[in-house]
Amino acid sequence: MDALRGFALLGILTVNITYMASAYHGTGLEDPGLGGPLSEGVRWLVAVLFETKFFLLFSFLFGYSFTLQLDSAERRGARFAPRFLRRLTGLFVIGVIHAVVLFPGDILTLYAVLGLILLALRRIQPRTAVRTAVALLAVTAVGYALLALAVAHAGGSGTIPASTASAAAQATEALRGGPASVIRAHLQELPDVAALLLFFQAPSVLAAFLLGLAAGRRGALADTDRHRRLLRRLQWVGFTAGLLGGIVYAHASLKHAESAHQLYAMGLDVITAPLLAAAYAATVLRLVRGRCGQAVVTALAPAGRMSLTNYLGQSLLCALLFTGFGAALVGRVPPIGVAAIALTLFAAQAVASRWWLRHHAYGPLEWLLRAWTTLSTPPWRLRSETRSPQP
């Protein structure tokens, strides 16, 4: 699970950094001065392979971990609901601070809100959870198709308004300003981000929660050797359908933004993105069980075990690079450079996480959230006899 979570963290960074590096990203417009074939190719790769996929994998693991926490509480005879509610409250507070100060595209607040639904459905049967998740994705996809029909019937031209370019240029200048200017820019962006989270990400996140809950009830990750055939099928179906859906989604997002075609593509992506995310997960799990398994775990698991600290650390470092909190490089680094920064940052986090966990039981923010959740003081440092290079 830690290796999967670390892999998901890399994917999330690869997507989030593109929004922090350019205020034009997601508008369908190219950032002035950052065009060219190479930049276009990188944008396509990120849109096809990364966008809308990795938050699903992270959400699945949230649902899976939920079952482990619930089982642990029941074995100890502890009251689970109050502790989990405190955990959700802590995530919400951290998420609000993160969204206002560092990155408006925060997902922790969404997890905190949808976690309430997960808590209410904690006794749901695995089969019912899977059916509910599939129905939720299907209804969401149909909703996008109906909305696309309405836009097409209304005669939507798909032409991006001139105000969009003006707003992106103003946002770029604001993000290059001082800390107060950056925070104001984030606050202005929050309503649009909240709408995106509510109407696009929330149904998919909840569906992934339920699929993770069902998998956790079955102990699917406890012994993946029992599911080799299923993992191979997930790879074949996921990479085939998922990549085709990703290409359609990328084409619509990059070439036909603000159009009915983009809405159709988003509806298709609601169905195909989970398949590609599942194929990614199956690939990592097979690698973990293969000849290079120990190397994969060593590379990814420490970062995954400190996912909250690393997730917020990514935003902090990117804010120092791209906004007026630091170097103010927003709109000044081409996509290939942004991708290189993402890979370098994650590699540094992987090394730092491995070193930290040699001496500490939890990451800094994991320790803080656990202390609030349990209303106790968890151990800060590992005893010398329990230190190990492996999490």
Side-chain angles (χ1 to χ4, degrees):
M1 282 189 61
D2 286 334
L4 270 179
R5 193 176 286 111
F7 178 67
L9 195 66
L10 171 60
I12 289 172
L13 170 61
T14 304
V15 175
N16 286 354
I17 195 174
T18 59
Y19 287 91
M20 300 187 75
S22 173
Y24 288 81
H25 189 77
T27 65
L29 297 170
E30 285 190 0
D31 198 327
L34 299 181
L38 183 58
S39 293
E40 183 73 4
V42 173
R43 290 190 186 100
W44 270 85
L45 285 176
V46 172
V48 172
L49 300 177
F50 292 89
E51 285 187 15
T52 75
K53 283 77 178 178
F54 283 87
F55 78 86
L56 293 171
L57 180 53
F58 214 86
S59 302
F60 171 87
L61 293 171
F62 186 93
Y64 195 101
S65 298
F66 173 83
T67 65
L68 302 183
Q69 297 166 28
L70 180 59
D71 291 344
S72 176
E74 290 178 344
R75 284 195 304 269
R76 293 181 288 105
R79 297 178 61 193
F80 176 73
R83 293 179 58 165
F84 191 69
L85 287 173
R86 285 195 296 272
R87 182 179 182 83
L88 295 181
T89 302
L91 285 176
F92 187 84
V93 172
I94 293 172
V96 168
I97 297 172
H98 176 226
V100 172
V101 179
L102 298 177
F103 178 51
D106 169 78
I107 202 171
L108 297 178
T109 50
L110 183 62
Y111 277 21
V113 173
L114 295 181
L116 297 173
I117 301 177
L118 190 63
L119 180 63
L121 297 177
R122 62 186 181 277
R123 302 302 179 190
I124 192 173
Q125 293 298 313
R127 182 172 297 181
T128 305
V130 171
R131 290 174 176 173
T132 304
V134 172
L136 188 59
L137 294 174
V139 169
T140 304
V142 170
Y144 273 108
L146 294 176
L147 184 58
L149 284 174
V151 170
H153 182 72
S157 63
T159 302
I160 301 174
S163 58
T164 300
S166 176
Q170 291 174 7
T172 300
E173 291 305 313
L175 292 170
R176 289 174 180 171
S181 176
V182 172
I183 291 175
R184 280 197 302 271
H186 290 168
L187 289 173
Q188 291 175 356
E189 193 177 351
L190 278 178
D192 291 337
V193 173
L196 176 67
L197 291 175
L198 179 62
F199 294 107
F200 181 63
Q201 284 192 319
S204 297
V205 167
L206 182 56
F209 278 4
L210 292 172
L211 292 174
L213 184 149
R217 289 294 188 196
R218 299 296 189 187
L221 301 183
D223 184 9
T224 53
D225 287 337
R226 294 187 296 118
H227 306 293
R228 290 181 179 178
R229 182 176 297 180
L230 174 61
L231 294 178
R232 287 194 294 268
R233 288 178 179 174
L234 286 176
Q235 286 179 299
W236 278 106
V237 175
F239 282 124
T240 302
L243 288 175
L244 288 174
I247 292 171
V248 174
Y249 166 84
H251 180 263
S253 300
L254 297 174
K255 299 298 183 180
H256 299 281
E258 306 288 338
S259 69
H261 177 54
Q262 185 184 27
L263 291 172
Y264 280 124
M266 291 172 71
L268 176 65
D269 187 71
V270 168
I271 301 300
T272 60
L275 296 175
L276 186 52
Y280 286 152
T283 301
V284 173
L285 291 173
R286 291 191 67 187
L287 286 173
V288 166
R289 292 296 185 181
R291 295 179 180 178
C292 302
Q294 187 59 48
V296 173
V297 172
T298 300
L300 296 175
R305 188 176 173 191
M306 291 174 51
S307 57
L308 180 60
T309 296
N310 285 323
Y311 172 67
L312 296 174
Q314 290 168 358
S315 294
L316 175 61
L317 292 172
C318 287
L320 292 174
L321 278 173
F322 296 110
T323 74
F325 286 122
L329 294 177
V330 59
R332 291 168 174 160
V333 182
I336 187 66
V338 172
I341 290 172
L343 292 174
T344 302
L345 174 54
F346 182 79
Q349 286 187 316
V351 173
S353 298
R354 184 170 172 80
W355 171 83
W356 180 273
L357 291 173
R358 288 178 182 269
H359 308 281
H360 300 82
Y362 308 98
L365 288 176
E366 284 77 11
W367 182 91
L368 182 64
L369 184 60
R370 185 176 181 85
W372 164 248
T373 300
T374 62
L375 298 180
S376 64
T377 304
W380 175 250
R381 296 186 66 88
L382 289 174
R383 296 179 180 178
S384 57
E385 63 269 18
T386 61
R387 290 178 185 174
S388 170
Q390 294 299 322

